[in-house]
Amino acid sequence: MMNKPDFRNLFPAALVVAALLSLGMVQFQWVKSGIVVEKQLFDRELRQLLEETGAGIAQTPDVAQGILELQRMRRKGQAVPDSLRYGLRLKLEERLRAGLEAQQKRMPFSIALSESIWHYPLLVGDRFDWSETAAYRTYAYQIEGTLAEACACQLYLHLQLRDFLPHLLERLWLLLALTVLGVAMLLLGFVLLVRKVRREQRLVAVKNDFINTLTHELKTPVFSSSLLLKLAEQALSDSQPEQVKMYLGRLSAENQQLKTQIEQVLELASLEQPVYQLERRALAVAEWLHQTCAAFEPKVKAEGGSLQWSFIGPDGFLTADAGHLSNALANLLDNALKYGGQPPVIRVEAISGPKGLTLKVKDNGDGVPEARQADVFQKFVRLHAGAIQGFGLGLSYVQQVARLHDGQAGMHNHSEGGAVFWLYLPDFEPGETSPKQLQYG
């Protein structure tokens, strides 16, 4: 049966998304308003330039006389000499260019001079566009004063910018930079929110799986203990001491299994406490390795497998917490036993050197998929959930032990098959013995 979506959980996320969209709209309106205000200021500056240029024309006799001659010849239908047209255009363009540069507006432009409100052209510069599509970048000023009185007409000076958008954007660079930064922060916040929600969902799923696994793992020995206790009581009432002894032995084993599972959870929790202190002492590595592997070897043989261990390099002492370090190696061995091949073949190597001690545990299983290798040391993560018993805490515990010993833990797949899990510990001091290799198993 499919689970129905919990809209109570979706509402906060939808609320945040709506807030981000609202902020984005506010940002857009802010930029739009800024562009409108900047365009109005830009237009006012250009109209002021045209007004100053028009007033200067009337005070420049040769330019004013050239405009009057141009207007007179147009009315009479006479041909205008190129020298008059080009000379007048160059003088007007020079004045306007100087004015634009004074306003720090270095951009291409065209000019035109027209008569009456119908704008009959008297003088037209290169690439001047009279169409309506160019109206937004065209500015006009009616020349007044003595020049208009002398010609008894309405004269208009036109300035048309070819491309003023880059200049306008340059003036708005701070606003645009803040806008881009704001949008980037909104997108980053949205991405982080989505990742956070997905991570929380994964954590909830992992937590639920852990609770279900924990319940099953603890319920089995409790149920078995209850049954064995009843059988022992029945055998005791029937005066069957051998049966009682057998049931009590199995009951002790079930209790030990229950104790081990509870201690595994509590040990990891204790290691994650920021104030936890290890009980460090000098540990003879070769002897410790032999004792730990020899204690685990019966479990491997019970599965029809083999366990081999070797010590490579100079013997010496490792400053470490013996209990936690033994548990960490036992977790690696148990992991190799669970996920190894059939029959399991496990090899353990302890390699000593001037930079520390490295423990390697290799199995003959299928290895770990590359996509999952970054997750195997996280809490509650199991590669084969449900198929293999366990809480998914073993490798996380190993990593915590390595961290508290200022070391590292990792893994890689072996080229010949199987996975290799390693534990690096830096606090190793070689003893006085010569380099040797000890092999057991």
Side-chain angles (χ1 to χ4, degrees):
M1 182 180 296
M2 296 183 60
N3 295 328
K4 294 183 179 180
D6 191 349
F7 293 101
R8 292 176 300 177
N9 295 333
L10 296 178
F11 178 74
L15 192 62
V16 172
V17 172
L20 291 175
L21 291 177
S22 300
L23 288 175
M25 293 179 64
V26 170
Q27 196 84 2
F28 173 77
Q29 292 297 328
W30 182 35
V31 174
K32 183 179 178 182
S33 300
I35 293 176
V36 170
V37 171
E38 194 63 34
K39 181 64 166 59
Q40 291 175 349
L41 178 61
F42 185 82
D43 293 346
R44 186 175 64 184
E45 292 173 351
L46 289 181
R47 291 191 182 98
Q48 181 181 358
L49 173 62
L50 286 174
E51 183 178 352
E52 293 173 355
T53 303
I57 290 174
Q59 298 174 4
T60 306
D62 58 336
V63 177
Q65 186 62 35
I67 293 176
L68 291 175
E69 182 67 17
L70 187 65
Q71 189 264 349
R72 182 186 63 81
M73 296 180 72
R74 191 199 70 83
R75 284 188 175 182
K76 292 183 177 182
Q78 298 176 351
V80 179
D82 291 339
S83 58
L84 175 61
R85 182 184 298 109
Y86 292 143
L88 186 59
R89 192 187 76 182
L90 290 176
K91 290 178 181 179
L92 292 176
E93 288 178 349
E94 183 179 355
R95 283 177 173 272
L96 288 171
R97 184 175 293 106
L100 288 172
E101 290 180 354
Q103 294 183 359
Q104 296 183 348
K105 296 180 177 68
R106 295 176 177 84
M107 60 189 74
F109 65 92
S110 297
I111 67 167
L113 194 66
S114 65
E115 180 185 359
S116 84
I117 60 174
W118 304 108
H119 298 306
Y120 298 118
L122 297 177
L123 178 68
V124 181
D126 293 338
R127 298 176 62 182
F128 192 91
D129 188 359
W130 290 99
S131 65
E132 291 293 331
T133 58
Y136 74 97
R137 53 189 178 92
T138 304
Y139 302 86
Y141 171 73
Q142 182 179 357
I143 302 175
E144 299 176 344
T146 57
L147 182 59
E149 294 174 357
C151 71
C153 63
Q154 294 177 316
L155 292 174
Y156 290 90
L157 177 62
H158 304 267
L159 172 65
Q160 187 175 87
L161 302 177
R162 295 178 188 172
D163 188 10
F164 65 87
L165 185 59
H167 176 77
L168 199 62
L169 294 178
E170 183 180 352
R171 295 174 59 157
L172 289 169
W173 73 267
L174 181 59
L175 177 62
L176 293 175
L178 292 175
T179 301
V180 171
L181 180 61
V183 171
M185 292 179 66
L186 288 177
L187 292 176
L188 178 62
F190 181 74
V191 171
L192 292 177
L193 173 65
V194 172
R195 292 182 60 183
K196 181 69 174 179
V197 170
R198 294 182 63 182
R199 182 174 180 272
E200 291 297 329
Q201 289 176 342
R202 288 196 299 266
L203 287 177
V204 169
V206 169
K207 182 195 70 173
N208 292 336
D209 180 65
F210 170 72
I211 292 175
N212 293 333
T213 303
L214 179 63
T215 302
H216 174 75
E217 294 289 337
L218 296 182
K219 183 174 66 175
T220 300
V222 170
F223 176 78
S224 299
S225 298
S226 177
L227 178 60
L228 288 171
L229 182 59
K230 291 181 179 180
L231 292 175
E233 290 176 348
Q234 181 66 34
L236 184 62
S237 63
D238 295 339
S239 300
Q240 299 177 346
E242 293 298 328
Q243 291 292 328
V244 172
K245 184 178 179 180
M246 182 189 67
Y247 290 142
L248 289 178
R250 294 175 61 181
L251 180 61
S252 176
E254 293 292 339
N255 286 336
Q256 183 61 37
Q257 180 184 354
L258 181 62
K259 178 183 176 182
T260 301
Q261 292 172 339
I262 295 175
E263 286 179 349
Q264 186 179 14
V265 177
L266 295 179
E267 283 177 352
L268 180 59
S270 65
L271 286 180
E272 293 180 340
Q273 297 298 322
V275 296
Y276 186 83
Q277 296 293 330
L278 294 176
E279 297 180 2
R280 296 173 181 258
R281 63 180 178 86
L283 189 65
V285 178
E287 179 182 359
W288 165 82
L289 178 67
H290 176 68
Q291 292 177 352
T292 305
C293 292
F296 194 85
E297 188 176 19
K299 293 185 179 180
V300 181
K301 290 186 175 180
E303 298 292 332
S306 63
L307 172 62
Q308 298 178 351
W309 61 94
S310 59
F311 185 85
I312 305 173
D315 195 4
F317 295 91
L318 181 69
T319 303
D321 187 309
H324 283 301
L325 189 59
S326 297
N327 290 338
L329 180 55
N331 276 317
L332 292 179
L333 292 171
D334 187 64
N335 187 75
L337 182 61
K338 288 180 179 178
Y339 296 97
Q342 292 297 327
V345 178
I346 304 174
R347 290 189 304 171
V348 181
E349 291 181 353
I351 306 173
S352 63
K355 294 184 179 180
L357 178 73
T358 302
L359 296 173
K360 294 184 178 181
V361 178
K362 180 184 181 302
D363 61 49
N364 63 331
D366 297 329
V368 180
E370 186 174 354
R372 300 294 307 276
Q373 291 183 11
D375 303 329
V376 293
F377 286 94
Q378 296 182 9
K379 286 192 299 185
F380 314 129
V381 172
R382 296 187 297 158
L383 294 182
H384 305 286
I388 299 178
Q389 293 183 348
F391 298 142
L393 297 176
L395 294 179
S396 178
Y397 175 79
V398 172
Q399 190 175 56
Q400 288 292 338
V401 171
R403 180 182 62 83
L404 289 174
H405 285 85
D406 300 320
Q408 295 177 345
M411 67 81 51
H412 62 270
N413 288 330
H414 198 276
S415 59
E416 299 177 357
V420 178
F421 287 84
W422 54 266
L423 179 63
Y424 167 73
L425 304 167
D427 294 334
F428 175 78
E429 290 292 337
E432 297 181 357
T433 58
S434 58
K436 57 184 178 179
Q437 175 171 326
L438 302 177
Q439 185 167 344
Y440 306 89

